[in-house]
Amino acid sequence: MHSRKVSKAIIPAAGLGTRFLPATKASPKEMLPLVDKPLIQYAVEEAVSAGIQDIIVITGRGKRAIEDHFDLSFELEENLKESGKEKLLNEIRRISELANFCYVRQRHARGLGDAILCAQHLIGNEPFAVILGDEVLLNTPIRGVYEVEAEEVSRYGIIAAEPAGPRLFKVTDLIEKPSLQEAPSRLAVIGRYILPAAIFPVLEKTPPGKNQEIQLTDALRALARSSPMHALLMNGIRHDAGDKLGFLKATVEFGLKNPELGDRFAHYLKGLKF
Ligand code: UTP
């Protein structure tokens, strides 16, 4: 078997973001800023740093700001040029040159599995990456599963697995948002996947599952029965920035790590009285 390089990433961004209402009523969740960059830009930069050039964003109604963010902004660039704000100008230009962008509309938010299926015609027969922009990761090059607290299992896709090497697991089953009693482990699937094109025919046959949505986890479960599937345990920090508390935690961590603001922000936090 020869390995093929992954050159395309799908970033699903068509969800309704109900956990973050009312902020997400008219603005995309993916455009919420962590310090000074929208969530989706972190996802794109992560893909690019992994060597991916083609980014397929799945969008829907009310998500136009995402396309504008990765496009040229002629007036803004002219304005920054005239006022001599060279550093900002370069930063703004860099965003539109980050990757080759392509947008596909998901007409109804029918679930993550359905969102991925919308890009089938752009993927062809290659393996591809999926990056969920509302999950932000710190300090880790390893992607896969993450150990969660017992009371958190019902919020994630959970795997049943056998050890297959250092931090590596062979996935034997997956279950979306199980109760603590149903959960086969505390290993939660995180929003980073490398999938084979064979997932598409499986997704096409996947009926609506939890929340009446077409769940990627259900399709992965079917796929794991017919071909080997592996998961890597990640040891960094993961935040679900699509959730209000997760977003606050991510903001604090990214704020502390920011080279321009980190020291002053740490000083401010230390002075807070609880
Ligand atoms: P989430 O469940 O985290 O996002 O889906 P959501 O549905 O927007 O949020 P809540 O639960 O209502 O608050 C994971 C990812 O899949 C995308 C979302 O945009 C998010 O990045 N997604 C989800 C789609 O693109 N289409 C869908 O139909 C559902």
Side-chain angles (χ1 to χ4, degrees):
M1 201 180 94
H2 65 278
S3 61
R4 275 181 292 174
K5 194 176 174 304
V6 174
S7 66
K8 295 177 183 162
I10 300 178
I11 303 185
L16 300 177
T18 52
R19 285 170 300 152
F20 226 116
L21 281 167
T24 46
K25 185 181 173 204
S27 325
K29 163 173 79 173
E30 297 73 17
M31 291 302 292
L32 289 168
L34 274 184
V35 187
D36 57 358
K37 286 194 285 194
L39 289 175
I40 194 165
Q41 188 177 331
Y42 288 96
V44 170
E45 287 175 352
E46 188 182 316
V48 170
S49 71
I52 289 172
Q53 290 111 33
D54 297 329
I55 305 281
I56 302 162
V57 185
I58 313 297
T59 67
R61 275 182 295 285
K63 302 278 183 170
R64 289 287 291 274
I66 297 176
E67 293 182 45
D68 289 342
H69 184 72
F70 293 108
D71 197 359
L72 282 179
S73 178
F74 185 74
E75 276 186 11
L76 177 63
E77 287 187 21
E78 282 304 298
N79 185 296
L80 293 173
K81 209 190 292 176
E82 275 166 27
S83 47
K85 294 183 174 149
E86 205 65 29
K87 198 169 162 231
L88 274 178
L89 178 64
N90 291 338
E91 177 62 23
I92 294 301
R93 281 204 178 134
R94 188 185 71 85
I95 297 172
S96 58
E97 290 160 4
L98 270 174
N100 306 319
F101 291 96
C102 185
Y103 299 90
V104 181
R105 296 280 273 214
Q106 184 190 18
R107 289 169 64 201
H108 301 284
R110 279 200 293 233
L112 176 59
D114 182 68
I116 291 169
L117 207 43
C118 292
Q120 182 174 15
H121 62 294
L122 295 171
I123 297 288
N125 206 18
E126 305 162 39
F128 59 98
V130 174
I131 300 184
L132 304 190
D134 47 3
E135 284 186 38
V136 290
L137 308 178
L138 284 117
N139 305 336
T140 175
I142 297 173
R143 306 290 136 88
V145 283
Y146 185 77
E147 195 155 8
V148 293
E149 298 295 331
E151 58 274 21
E152 291 180 319
V153 293
S154 62
R155 284 197 256 141
Y156 299 100
I158 301 289
I159 64 168
E162 293 159 6
R167 312 193 74 75
L168 189 68
F169 294 91
K170 182 172 186 303
V171 179
T172 54
D173 202 0
L174 295 97
I175 167 161
E176 183 65 23
K177 301 187 173 69
S179 65
L180 186 52
Q181 291 72 31
E182 292 169 315
S185 74
R186 279 183 24 217
L187 296 174
V189 177
I190 60 164
R192 303 292 184 276
Y193 310 81
I194 303 290
L195 301 177
I199 194 75
F200 290 119
V202 182
L203 278 170
E204 273 169 353
K205 282 190 241 119
T206 303
K210 270 259 149 75
N211 305 333
Q212 287 311 303
E213 291 185 344
I214 297 172
Q215 298 287 354
L216 176 62
T217 307
D218 293 342
L220 290 174
R221 179 180 210 188
L223 196 68
R225 283 192 203 120
S226 58
S227 50
M229 182 180 293
H230 290 91
L232 274 169
L233 181 64
M234 64 158 272
N235 52 3
I237 300 171
R238 164 198 177 278
H239 291 296
D240 182 357
D243 166 81
K244 290 176 190 174
L245 183 61
F247 181 81
L248 287 174
K249 291 180 185 172
T251 299
V252 171
E253 296 235 21
F254 278 70
L256 288 171
K257 279 190 183 307
N258 186 280
E260 280 166 32
L261 306 169
D263 288 349
R264 280 178 291 156
F265 188 44
H267 181 73
Y268 166 75
L269 288 178
K270 279 183 197 147
L272 284 180
K273 304 232 170 359
F274 292 100

